[in-house]
Amino acid sequence: MRPFLETLPKVPGASWSMLNRRLEDGIPFEWHHHPEYELTLTLNSVGQRFVGDHVGEYDDGDLVLVGANLPHTWASRSRRNPSLPHVALVMWFRHEWAAALGEGFAELRPIEGLLSRAETGLAFSAEVSARARPLIEALFEAELAERFLALVRVLLLLAADTDAEPLASTVAARDLDRADRERIDRVLLHIHTHYAERITNAELAEIAALSSSGLHRLFRRHTRTSISDYVMRLRIGEACMRLSSNDQPIGHVAAAVGYHSLANFNRQFKALRGMTPRAYRALFRG
């Protein structure tokens, strides 16, 4: 499996794209990006989502807007209803398409603000996601013109969600040429697949076909952070998921996400989350 620049399906007569994706065998880890924004409603599926350096749990009804060229994927673990497929209702649109709405119609200017907030990815609140769900499901059954109007209604609803959660810590670089984009994709795929293991800069430099210093410059240019910080955020994100969803001892959680020193895990967790792993877990205990 390799990272790729996804070419999106075209919908005849439409100015944006959509896909009703139904998978019996699960949603696979397919690390990819594209210049379009992506709005995805995931149904009857439970697993993990990866958006930039974000790692988080998703469940039935998860609604996320991913910024342009921001690498992402979902990876399912199970189905809520085993007799039905995993479903991803996906809508793609260009920044220029959405920005033109605000430029042409004052009433639609909140959509421009939504685009800015979504550059690092946005997971919408449970309340707003629940309200958007029937609108999105109906959208996929509508005729072309009504489908367009329905998407605008959805985007206006999402723009008003002040509780939407930012996901990644950095914005994707938009000025990489094709060769550099392919290099950084190979590196990010390796990191996302192996972040719980020991990863060396020399190993990543070889994957990128660059010197260590060249990789350092490219990685910081793309992610606005260092490789070590990026890996730390992935590991702490995975740890948060484990701490909130099970009673596994904290030492086991630390080891599972790549920390051989519990003290180092506790220190990095507190630096990133502002509290200890134990205090974080307590937030999810009634």
Side-chain angles (χ1 to χ4, degrees):
M1 177 175 57
R2 63 182 181 86
F4 60 95
L5 171 65
E6 186 175 29
T7 302
L8 305 182
K10 301 293 184 183
V11 178
S15 57
W16 54 283
S17 300
M18 57 190 286
L19 178 66
N20 185 339
R21 193 181 189 197
R22 295 174 177 268
L23 298 165
E24 294 290 344
D25 297 330
I27 301 173
F29 185 100
E30 294 176 338
W31 189 236
H32 68 285
H33 61 86
H34 37 71
E36 294 81 3
Y37 283 72
E38 176 180 314
L39 179 63
T40 294
L41 174 64
T42 310
L43 304 173
N44 194 46
S45 188
V46 180
Q48 285 181 290
R49 62 169 127 76
F50 301 78
V51 179
D53 60 358
H54 159 82
V55 182
E57 284 280 284
Y58 76 84
D59 205 332
D60 177 62
D62 183 67
L63 183 59
V64 168
L65 180 59
V66 176
N69 284 319
L70 185 62
H72 58 280
T73 189
W74 278 247
S76 62
R77 189 166 56 246
S78 62
R79 289 181 279 188
R80 282 297 175 197
N81 184 340
S83 65
L84 297 175
H86 300 263
V87 176
L89 300 181
V90 189
M91 294 140 280
W92 296 283
F93 52 86
R94 291 270 184 168
H95 183 275
E96 298 80 5
W97 177 90
L101 297 175
E103 293 171 1
F105 304 95
E107 297 86 349
L108 304 183
R109 283 180 187 156
I111 294 176
E112 292 185 85
L114 177 65
L115 298 185
S116 178
R117 294 166 60 204
E119 285 191 338
T120 57
L122 279 178
F124 296 98
S125 65
E127 177 185 354
V128 170
S129 296
R131 290 171 58 194
R133 178 172 179 164
L135 300 177
I136 293 172
E137 291 179 311
L139 177 157
F140 275 77
E141 304 298 326
E143 298 297 327
L144 276 176
E146 180 55 36
R147 189 186 301 161
F148 166 78
L149 295 174
L151 178 58
V152 171
R153 294 188 193 103
V154 168
L155 293 177
L156 285 173
L157 172 62
L158 301 183
D161 186 2
T162 57
D163 293 324
E165 177 189 359
L167 298 178
S169 64
T170 58
V171 177
R174 296 180 181 175
D175 58 348
L176 296 182
D177 61 27
R178 181 173 180 178
D180 281 346
R181 173 68 68 182
E182 290 177 351
R183 287 188 179 97
I184 201 68
D185 280 349
R186 292 197 300 270
V187 170
L188 289 172
L189 178 61
H190 187 82
I191 290 174
H192 275 257
T193 306
H194 300 285
Y195 63 84
E197 304 166 19
R198 183 175 181 270
I199 301 175
T200 67
N201 286 353
E203 175 184 2
L204 295 177
E206 183 176 352
I207 290 170
L210 291 170
S211 65
S212 292
S213 59
L215 172 62
H216 173 79
R217 289 192 297 270
L218 176 63
F219 195 90
R220 185 169 286 279
R221 177 182 165 199
H222 175 72
T223 66
R224 315 296 202 268
T225 191
S226 67
I227 293 171
S228 59
D229 279 352
Y230 193 94
V231 171
M232 178 186 70
R233 290 179 182 278
L234 286 176
R235 288 174 171 176
I236 298 302
E238 168 78 4
C240 287
M241 182 274 294
R242 290 172 177 264
L243 291 167
S244 64
S245 61
N246 61 55
D247 294 318
Q248 192 175 35
I250 291 174
H252 291 184
V253 171
V257 301
Y259 287 92
H260 300 294
S261 165
L262 181 58
N264 188 34
F265 170 68
N266 287 333
R267 182 170 56 254
Q268 292 193 359
F269 191 100
K270 188 172 183 179
L272 203 58
R273 291 290 183 262
M275 63 183 73
T276 65
R278 190 177 303 279
Y280 182 86
R281 170 173 275 170
L283 297 176
F284 300 89
R285 300 295 181 265

